[in-house]
Amino acid sequence: MWPAHTLRIGLATTCITLSRCLQLGAAMAKSKFEYVRDFEADDTCLPHCWVVVRLDGRNFHRFAEKHNFAKPNDSRALHLMTKCAQTVMDELEDIVIAYGQSDEYSFVFKRKSNWFKRRASKFMTHVASQFASSYVFYWRDYFEDQPLLYPPGFDGRVVLYPSNQALKDYLSWRQADCHINNLYNTVFWALVQQSGLTPAQAQERLQGTLAADKNEILFSEFNVNYNNEPLMNRKGTVLIWQKVVEVKTKEIKLPVEMEGKTMTVTRTRTRPVPLHCDIIGDAFWKEHPEILDEDS
Ligand SMILES: [Mg+2]
């Protein structure tokens, strides 16, 4: 018989050996290189904030030149941008509204989204890559006679907005930017294309002019009422989720005696629908209260 204390030492030794085995097991599962994971920066977006990802075309001035975009607005290019934004909203999670103009698009994620644990880099890179691949994928649907000459790129940024008012002000800022640029470009290109001014002369002519002056030039010299210009050009594009009734014609497979007959099938789907309306005033937000809903 072993004395009691020998038994205790024996048990203790077994416990130490077991714990060494477990440590070794853990070490084998987690290679010695595992520590490099700690170098990854934490980029979790602050809770309860609206997460906005804004994309902007890389060097699109040159891209537009090379691909013969119409001036001041190329509706093919604008519709392609919107198609890409719709694809982003369809493919990714939790986007409640998007706003686009020119070569930029902003996407707003739900305040309470927990997609990819709210990591900013995941939001931004998923939006940018999905958008850019869509731009190439759908190019031919919008530019039938114009081949894509080189791959376009988009930069992205993430901005957090802690209140509904700040988010609305952000979107208003982008729409005001759309208006300012479009009014300028409309007069600028009228002066170049219709009055034969060089770009430098047109720029000089417009230097220091106010919105009213530009409207006056358009009206008196080109007989253009700026307010009658297409809404898409003046307001940009807002994408919101709306119920859409889709009607499809289907051929009936069976029964045999009815072969070849067609029938129409309707179904309701929620889709990202483009609107070209004012989002600066209150009317839009009153009409669509679900966008800023607390639970969104
Ligand atoms: Mg750009």
Side-chain angles (χ1 to χ4, degrees):
M1 273 294 272
W2 293 323
H5 75 273
T6 316
L7 188 64
R8 241 179 275 127
I9 290 165
L11 269 174
T13 313
T14 310
C15 287
I16 289 163
T17 314
L18 188 65
S19 91
R20 285 230 174 99
C21 282
L22 286 171
Q23 276 172 18
L24 194 65
M28 278 159 65
K30 280 189 111 186
S31 83
K32 68 171 181 173
F33 307 116
E34 193 74 12
Y35 79 97
V36 297
R37 189 182 265 284
D38 298 337
F39 285 69
E40 285 184 27
D42 178 8
D43 63 348
T44 310
C45 293
L46 205 65
H48 295 203
C49 288
W50 296 104
V51 178
V52 174
V53 175
R54 182 166 82 250
L55 299 185
D56 190 90
R58 179 177 162 268
N59 204 353
F60 255 50
H61 190 77
R62 174 172 177 262
F63 186 85
E65 289 291 327
K66 295 279 181 195
H67 293 88
N68 302 309
F69 280 16
K71 305 283 187 187
N73 290 285
D74 189 302
S75 63
R76 301 166 300 175
L78 294 173
H79 283 121
L80 172 57
M81 290 287 289
T82 291
K83 175 66 181 177
C84 298
Q86 287 171 309
T87 309
V88 166
M89 288 175 79
D90 275 331
E91 294 293 326
L92 310 189
E93 307 279 315
D94 293 348
I95 297 169
V96 287
I97 184 171
Y99 173 76
Q101 50 123 345
S102 183
D103 66 338
E104 70 166 60
Y105 242 102
S106 297
F107 299 88
V108 182
F109 287 82
K110 289 178 184 179
R111 296 184 81 140
K112 292 181 182 167
S113 175
N114 201 31
W115 196 52
F116 284 103
K117 296 184 177 161
R118 294 179 73 79
R119 289 175 62 185
S121 53
K122 296 282 186 180
F123 283 126
M124 186 168 58
T125 55
H126 272 298
V127 170
S129 69
Q130 198 72 48
F131 194 96
S133 70
S134 302
Y135 199 94
V136 175
F137 189 81
Y138 292 113
W139 173 267
R140 281 196 57 170
D141 294 352
Y142 296 85
F143 290 88
E144 286 158 26
D145 307 321
Q146 170 63 61
L148 183 60
L149 301 174
Y150 63 90
F154 295 85
D155 75 59
R157 73 191 71 195
V158 173
V159 191
L160 303 181
Y161 291 102
S163 67
N164 290 358
Q165 191 57 53
L167 176 70
K168 285 195 280 185
D169 288 347
Y170 167 78
L171 293 166
S172 298
W173 172 51
R174 298 324 304 148
Q175 189 166 56
D177 185 81
C178 173
H179 164 72
I180 292 163
N181 291 334
N182 190 61
L183 177 58
Y184 182 94
N185 291 336
T186 304
V187 195
F188 178 90
W189 287 103
L191 289 168
V192 170
Q193 291 166 343
Q194 295 175 55
S195 294
L197 268 63
T198 65
Q201 288 169 330
Q203 196 183 353
E204 201 182 336
R205 172 86 198 274
L206 292 174
Q207 201 148 34
T209 56
L210 305 174
D213 304 323
K214 295 185 187 79
N215 274 307
E216 184 53 31
I217 295 172
L218 279 176
F219 194 70
S220 59
E221 293 182 33
F222 304 102
N223 201 24
V224 167
N225 182 344
Y226 182 74
N227 291 327
N228 295 336
E229 289 294 290
L231 270 173
M232 180 170 69
N233 300 349
R234 290 188 291 123
K235 300 290 180 192
T237 303
V238 188
L239 286 171
I240 56 171
W241 293 99
Q242 287 195 326
K243 282 201 172 80
V244 175
V245 179
E246 291 183 344
V247 183
K248 278 186 178 173
T249 309
K250 274 191 172 176
E251 199 156 304
I252 308 162
K253 292 269 161 63
L254 285 166
V256 180
E257 59 269 21
M258 286 179 75
E259 209 173 295
K261 295 215 171 170
T262 58
M263 65 179 287
T264 53
V265 182
T266 58
R267 63 167 180 166
T268 313
R269 281 216 296 165
T270 309
R271 300 275 298 124
V273 173
L275 305 173
H276 310 294
C277 61
D278 178 84
I279 54 172
I280 297 176
D282 283 337
F284 172 81
W285 302 101
K286 281 191 175 138
E287 205 178 320
H288 306 284
E290 71 284 352
I291 299 168
L292 298 177
D293 204 12
E294 261 313 294
D295 293 323
S296 102

